[in-house]
Amino acid sequence: MSLLPTMAEVLRQITKKPATNLFPAKYLPKSITGFLGKVSEGKAEINPPVITPENYRGKITYDRDACIGCKICMRVCPANAIEFIKETKTVRIYVTQCIFCSQCNDACPVQCLHMSSDFMLADEDRYSENLIVE
Amino acid sequence: MIDVILAVVGGTIAVTIIGIIVGLVLLGIDRKFAAHMQARVGPPLRQPFIDVAKLMCKDSIVPENAVVSVFNAAPLIALASAVTLLLYIPIAGFYPLFGGLGDAILVMYILTVPALAMVAGGFASGSPYATVGAQREMVTMIAYEFPLAVAIVAVAWRFSMAGFSDPFSLATMAGVGSGVVVWDIVGPLGIIGCLILLLVLAWVTPAELSRVPCDTPEAETELCGGLVAEYSGRNLALFYLAGGVKTFAMTALGVAIFLPWNISWFIGITGWTALIADVVFFLLKVIVVMFFSVSLIRVSMARFRINHLVSLYWGYIAIAALVGLMMIILDVFMKGGVVL
Amino acid sequence: MTSENKSKKAPYTIPIGPTHPALKEPILFTFRINGEVVEEVDFAPGKAHRGIEWMGMRRNPVQIVHLTDRICGICGVSHTFAFARAIEQIVGIDVPDRAHYIRTILAEFERIQSHLLWAGVAAHELGFDTLFNLAWRVREESMDLIELLTGNRVNYAIVQVGGVRRDIEEEKFARIKEGLRYYESLIDKLLKLFLHDKTINMRCRDCGLLTYDAALKLCTVGPTTRASGVRADVRLDSPYAAYGELNFDYVMPDLYTGETRGDVYDRIVVRLLEVAQSVDLIRQCMKQMPEGETLWETKMPKLLAACKKAEGEAVGRVEAPRGECLHYVRMNKSDSPYMWKVKASTYSNQLSWLEMLKGEQIADIPIIVASIDPCMSCTDRVAVVRDGKPDIYSKEYLHRLSVEKTRRLMND
Ligand code: SF4
Ligand code: SF4
């Protein structure tokens, strides 16, 4: 039994690069929204997030024109996040309700629902335009 | 007379400010060291300052069944006594402000005061966690005092054997003025003894500062902070500052006794350049001592149980300290090094 | 009240929980402490009750499989797997062979991921944050692989009634093998850092003992029971999915240390060795995996119709990383199950706390509590609050209630 095997390990580690993923910045900015604003203005640089895999399930996308209004997606949605709009015979998806299972994607007979790789969805308003797909 | 008083007051204020700033920087560096050893990036260096500033803005909550006076006084006493320590420890080769008024023995006594203040505060908070923490802190203190005392007394005794007039003065040990340090006066056996004592001091430091593996009195996962479980806001900030200052004091003590060289002794410079070079060199030594006695130790092991802590300090480390002392005594009898 | 009870003299009572840094999930422990020693323990679960079964009984099986993903934050496969197995038995679904293998691979990746997570948490409970960081860092590899196979890191949404929703394509095998090699090269280091460390030995050896007899008597499951020397593992005792065709054995602590003591240390040994075992199982699965379909029925309306026609009850059991996970389902010719009961592994293991904690020190409470790898959210199925006060139900009363309920189920 060695005494303190970790000591050698940490000494070796100190010269190596840390494993932390520095998204979005090395240190917490004073204000995250301010920082993101600066990034969009091109004044600051953002450390990119880890790349999502190809079949990642992010924010849902919906092709309204292809939808035939069959309501199958509503039957399988575990979160009851899908609402039927009678007038247009299309559906409306509340992203704050959605649990990103993509079950509706599998069930839709005309493949008009898909999951994008968009995951930065935080918002102050549950019903903001960004969080309702129709 | 007025001059003296002004100098003392001014000096004390200056030492307080410097002590707090250096203490917090040291805590920041320690966090950076630990983070990189754990493959993390860690918080920015100024994080301790941010923490203190934030705590200062927050309300200090006093529990219902606390002894209010003691509860509020404890953090102040802890910080004040931690700062007092710095007045007796030679820093960067300067003669300590109160150096003529107290020696190493006094420093050892003052070292216990912040811990005692925390114990008092813990008992006064009236929470079972804090009570258990306070009991543990007392046991911890009893455990590490003995090796610490042996280490300091052994070095002082060696100085007295070498014919120094004021061996217990930390200024003497640090070679302030004389330029003579402990390694200069001991023979080969004494060198081994001093190395052992250096290690002993390095191991006492985490216990003194309540850091892993000796953070049993605070033990986040067991006692949710133990002693300081009920503290918040300004009071907690004061304890935090006291911790920073104490880190500085403990490492400075180690530097003063075992690594007191000044860079200006070696590369004959004088005046302001020498002063700056000495201060920078001193801070480097403090950081190195902190790395080995705090950061490295705290990332490489699990927390001790209180009975482990006692058996470690009363057993192995006390024995190591005594062996170091024996070596130094033998050194004197065999007339190694400088003996009067 | 006498002055004796009022005074703070020993023994005194320390509450730990419902929220406490040592607990990752809410539960209330009450300890009677004498000095540093625990004299008496009591605990009150039920603080994380979310009414999942109630929600499930208002949804159809296809919806429920995504709900079961969320019973536990870590075992995203096990609960769904157990539920799907129950439904498959009721409906009489023949799961394609390839799906069996994919389920097995995912379940084993989940075990790797869960055990490494546990190892990190255990190290953190001991105040050993370096190992916590290390364990969670190497855990990332399994999370990445799970993400590659299922799309997301947690909430995999891959198990479906009748199979799995995604195939593992040939192109992904190289990446999976790379990950397996990573763990194979790592396991020795992990064993060294965790098991040969003096401080961990001091803290975990002979701490939180659970004897063989007690482990049997209390019906503990999973690594907790194996660490006490009981040879029990659902994967071997009643093989499901592809486990019957794989070559493996019970992981017992004496494989590594030569003896079985049933302490916290042994539980670390079992879990770390199981990481190595899971790597081996995944290798075997990849070698033997047959070609073919992965779902019994890809058309969801047809699957739902089949479930709606079904009648009967069944129990689905799988070996989750923490031990046996059991789902009881009863279908009654309607969209949603008539009855759904989840028994997570912690439910079986939690009573062993009383045995383990008695006589130990306060300092050991966190690591002993963590040593069974408790998952309160999986376990908490009831929370009884009446007039603002939790009730205590006696065994007799509970028995009467269950008899009544069984009658009701039979008559309906
Ligand atoms: S992804 Fe799942 S939760 Fe979201 S809308 Fe589709 S079915 Fe509902
Ligand atoms: S399943 Fe597809 S086609 Fe049918 S309503 Fe939903 S989105 Fe439209």
Side-chain angles (χ1 to χ4, degrees):
Chain A
M1 178 177 304
S2 36
L3 196 60
L4 295 172
T6 316
M7 205 174 262
E9 182 65 27
V10 290
L11 287 175
R12 229 172 297 142
Q13 178 60 45
I14 200 167
T15 54
K16 288 192 205 149
K17 217 172 144 261
T20 318
N21 170 34
L22 296 171
F23 172 74
K26 182 166 181 193
Y27 296 126
L28 180 71
K30 262 233 162 63
S31 137
I32 294 265
T33 29
F35 175 73
L36 290 179
K38 265 195 212 155
V39 169
S40 57
E41 285 166 27
K43 278 192 209 139
E45 229 177 285
I46 193 168
N47 282 315
V50 179
I51 305 162
T52 52
E54 51 174 324
N55 43 16
Y56 182 78
R57 305 188 303 274
K59 185 183 165 188
I60 196 161
T61 60
Y62 173 49
D63 179 359
R64 192 177 349 161
D65 302 332
C67 176
I68 51 170
C70 68
K71 293 195 196 176
I72 292 180
C73 55
M74 293 172 63
R75 277 184 68 201
V76 295
C77 176
N80 299 331
I82 309 179
E83 186 181 65
F84 192 68
I85 311 174
K86 274 207 194 103
E87 299 80 57
T88 52
K89 293 223 161 37
T90 53
V91 296
R92 177 184 295 139
I93 303 136
Y94 292 94
V95 177
T96 40
Q97 284 273 88
C98 170
I99 58 173
F100 307 101
C101 63
S102 90
Q103 188 65 59
C104 53
N105 297 208
D106 289 11
C108 178
V110 292
Q111 316 288 301
C112 65
L113 292 165
H114 292 281
M115 304 309 265
S116 67
S117 59
D118 197 2
F119 63 87
M120 280 153 71
L121 302 173
D123 205 308
E124 285 150 359
D125 178 13
R126 280 177 83 88
Y127 302 107
S128 81
E129 215 166 293
N130 188 28
L131 297 181
I132 295 181
V133 177
E134 56 178 16
Chain B
M1 190 59 206
I2 288 287
D3 290 4
V4 177
I5 293 177
L6 271 185
V8 166
V9 172
T12 311
I13 292 175
V15 168
T16 310
I17 294 172
I18 294 173
I20 287 178
I21 291 177
V22 175
L24 288 183
V25 170
L26 282 180
L27 290 184
I29 296 176
D30 166 56
R31 287 175 76 166
K32 251 331 202 200
F33 274 145
H36 276 270
M37 283 190 273
Q38 296 173 338
R40 296 182 288 124
V41 169
L45 265 189
R46 58 172 197 283
Q47 189 65 41
F49 293 91
I50 302 174
D51 291 350
V52 169
K54 187 171 178 184
L55 284 175
M56 284 291 185
C57 306
K58 297 207 164 188
D59 278 349
S60 235
I61 295 163
V62 180
E64 225 167 63
N65 49 352
V67 185
V68 181
S69 52
V70 182
F71 184 80
N72 284 328
L76 271 178
I77 297 173
L79 180 59
S81 51
V83 171
T84 313
L85 272 175
L86 291 178
L87 301 175
Y88 294 96
I89 297 174
I91 285 166
F94 294 118
Y95 194 78
L97 198 61
F98 289 179
L101 302 173
D103 53 14
I105 305 295
L106 181 71
V107 167
M108 265 164 44
Y109 273 103
I110 305 179
L111 263 178
T112 60
V113 178
L116 283 176
M118 286 182 96
V119 169
F123 277 127
S125 17
S127 127
Y129 295 127
T131 310
V132 176
Q135 285 164 354
R136 287 183 178 183
E137 176 71 44
M138 287 196 299
V139 175
T140 315
M141 264 162 62
I142 297 168
Y144 68 70
E145 281 307 320
F146 178 66
L148 177 67
V150 170
I152 292 180
V153 169
V155 175
W157 183 77
R158 188 66 189 79
F159 270 97
S160 78
M161 282 296 123
F164 283 80
S165 59
D166 195 3
F168 275 92
S169 152
L170 278 170
T172 311
M173 291 191 202
V176 177
S178 66
V180 178
V181 305
V182 67
W183 308 97
D184 297 333
I185 56 172
V186 291
L189 262 186
I191 290 189
I192 302 176
C194 282
L195 281 176
I196 295 176
L197 292 180
L198 176 66
L199 285 180
V200 168
L201 196 63
W203 269 92
V204 169
T205 311
E208 183 75 61
L209 301 175
S210 286
R211 305 304 290 270
V212 177
C214 306
D215 69 336
T216 2
E218 285 166 28
E220 185 224 334
T221 47
E222 298 160 19
L223 300 177
C224 347
L227 283 176
V228 291
E230 298 295 337
Y231 279 99
S232 53
R234 193 185 59 102
N235 282 338
L236 186 59
L238 290 181
F239 268 138
Y240 190 71
L241 288 177
V245 175
K246 234 173 123 182
T247 309
F248 182 32
M250 268 314 276
T251 44
L253 185 69
V255 169
I257 298 177
F258 290 109
L259 311 163
W261 301 285
N262 270 347
I263 194 105
S264 59
W265 300 352
F266 302 107
I267 48 167
I269 39 172
T270 47
W272 279 105
T273 31
L275 192 72
I276 292 169
D278 279 350
V279 169
V280 170
F281 187 59
F282 171 78
L283 289 178
L284 276 180
K285 283 186 295 187
V286 163
I287 291 171
V288 169
V289 168
M290 188 190 65
F291 175 76
F292 284 105
S293 62
V294 178
S295 313
L296 182 59
I297 292 183
R298 88 181 170 99
V299 297
S300 342
M301 58 192 79
R303 180 184 306 125
F304 292 134
R305 220 183 277 154
I306 190 76
N307 54 339
H308 293 146
L309 198 140
V310 173
S311 48
L312 179 77
Y313 280 86
W314 272 105
Y316 299 104
I317 293 189
I319 291 171
L322 288 176
V323 169
L325 177 68
M326 291 310 268
M327 294 273 198
I328 288 178
I329 294 175
L330 279 177
D331 185 45
V332 170
F333 285 130
M334 291 164 67
K335 302 249 178 265
V338 186
V339 182
L340 204 64
Chain C
M1 185 188 263
T2 60
S3 61
E4 209 179 79
N5 289 348
K6 265 191 205 159
S7 73
K8 277 191 188 153
K9 282 216 186 88
Y12 49 94
T13 311
I14 289 196
I16 290 200
T19 53
H20 181 281
L23 305 169
K24 305 300 163 237
E25 284 174 285
I27 174 171
L28 173 63
F29 284 94
T30 322
F31 293 98
R32 239 161 60 102
I33 303 284
N34 194 351
E36 285 265 336
V37 179
V38 176
E39 277 193 340
E40 247 179 66
V41 201
D42 192 12
F43 68 92
K47 314 277 183 224
H49 177 50
R50 294 166 295 166
I52 284 206
E53 286 160 344
W54 188 89
M55 286 159 75
M57 278 145 70
R58 278 145 191 84
R59 281 167 166 79
N60 62 44
V62 173
Q63 291 175 309
I64 297 179
V65 290
H66 300 291
L67 194 58
T68 47
D69 266 8
R70 288 157 178 83
I71 290 181
C72 179
I74 302 161
C75 313
V77 170
S78 299
H79 281 284
T80 319
F81 198 167
F83 174 78
R85 266 171 51 77
I87 293 283
E88 282 150 14
Q89 288 169 51
I90 300 171
V91 184
I93 292 175
D94 197 11
V95 178
D97 278 347
R98 192 173 173 85
H100 276 318
Y101 275 88
I102 294 175
R103 284 177 173 189
T104 309
I105 290 177
L106 286 163
E108 291 309 316
F109 268 126
E110 178 168 285
R111 200 177 314 280
I112 295 178
Q113 170 267 107
S114 169
H115 282 347
L116 288 174
L117 176 127
W118 175 84
V121 170
H124 175 69
E125 303 288 10
L126 291 170
F128 206 153
D129 280 351
T130 305
L131 285 190
F132 160 67
N133 283 303
L134 181 103
W136 281 38
R137 188 169 92 222
V138 300
R139 171 176 178 257
E140 274 314 293
E141 180 72 9
S142 57
M143 299 299 280
D144 284 350
L145 288 171
I146 290 174
E147 190 182 49
L148 178 82
L149 298 181
T150 69
N152 291 44
R153 281 162 52 93
V154 273
N155 295 333
Y156 317 125
I158 183 133
V159 177
Q160 179 61 278
V161 175
V164 289
R165 292 174 59 203
R166 279 188 182 137
D167 196 6
I168 301 181
E169 297 92 6
E170 205 65 38
E171 310 92 79
K172 290 184 178 154
F173 275 36
R175 177 69 186 87
I176 298 175
K177 282 191 180 134
E178 190 188 310
L180 297 181
R181 271 197 301 277
Y182 172 75
Y183 281 118
E184 275 160 352
S185 65
L186 193 82
I187 193 77
D188 283 334
K189 182 163 126 188
L190 280 179
L191 287 170
K192 187 173 118 207
L193 292 185
F194 272 93
L195 300 177
H196 293 214
D197 187 280
K198 183 82 181 127
T199 48
I200 292 189
N201 265 275
M202 272 159 57
R203 290 295 307 272
C204 299
R205 257 299 178 215
D206 297 322
C207 155
L209 284 177
L210 183 70
T211 57
Y212 177 87
D213 291 335
L216 266 188
K217 199 179 80 213
L218 292 167
C219 302
T220 52
V221 294
T224 313
T225 204
R226 290 195 282 277
S228 293
V230 182
R231 295 168 75 81
D233 187 332
V234 184
R235 294 176 293 172
L236 286 150
D237 300 338
S238 52
Y240 54 94
Y243 289 112
E245 292 154 35
L246 303 177
N247 178 21
F248 66 114
D249 200 2
Y250 302 93
V251 173
M252 308 303 276
D254 53 355
L255 289 176
Y256 191 73
T257 55
E259 55 177 341
T260 305
R261 295 200 206 172
D263 50 11
V264 173
Y265 188 88
D266 278 350
R267 282 167 223 144
I268 305 180
V269 175
V270 169
R271 292 208 172 85
L272 288 181
L273 291 187
E274 284 191 7
V275 171
Q277 185 191 49
S278 294
V279 170
D280 179 53
L281 286 176
I282 296 171
R283 270 201 194 287
Q284 292 186 34
C285 281
M286 283 166 60
K287 224 175 268 153
Q288 302 177 10
M289 210 154 94
E291 292 297 320
E293 291 296 312
T294 57
L295 258 184
W296 174 71
E297 175 57 73
T298 45
K299 298 254 182 313
M300 286 305 129
K302 276 195 190 160
L303 179 60
L304 286 176
C307 291
K308 193 172 176 175
K309 264 189 265 159
E311 190 178 12
E313 57 180 355
V315 163
R317 293 163 71 203
V318 300
E319 178 81 7
R322 294 161 174 72
E324 180 193 59
C325 160
L326 184 151
H327 282 230
Y328 165 82
V329 185
R330 186 185 172 97
M331 299 286 287
N332 227 359
K333 286 197 196 260
S334 78
D335 275 333
S336 37
Y338 183 71
M339 184 65 215
W340 175 33
K341 191 86 211 137
V342 182
K343 197 215 66 150
S345 7
T346 308
Y347 184 82
S348 313
N349 281 336
Q350 58 188 357
L351 277 177
S352 64
W353 274 330
L354 303 182
E355 194 80 15
M356 293 176 194
L357 284 165
K358 217 164 276 173
E360 297 290 350
Q361 296 204 5
I362 299 179
D364 295 327
I365 293 172
I367 184 64
I368 295 176
V369 169
S371 73
I372 69 161
D373 201 355
C375 182
M376 297 329 299
S377 308
C378 305
T379 309
D380 289 346
R381 294 276 79 86
V382 252
V384 184
V385 181
R386 200 161 288 158
D387 306 330
K389 268 194 309 212
D391 258 348
I392 293 182
Y393 283 4
S394 67
K395 191 177 157 198
E396 290 70 34
Y397 183 58
L398 278 176
H399 184 243
R400 210 174 68 231
L401 280 183
S402 57
V403 169
E404 276 169 17
K405 182 155 194 182
T406 314
R407 287 222 182 93
R408 223 165 45 233
L409 287 176
M410 310 260 286
N411 293 341
D412 273 345

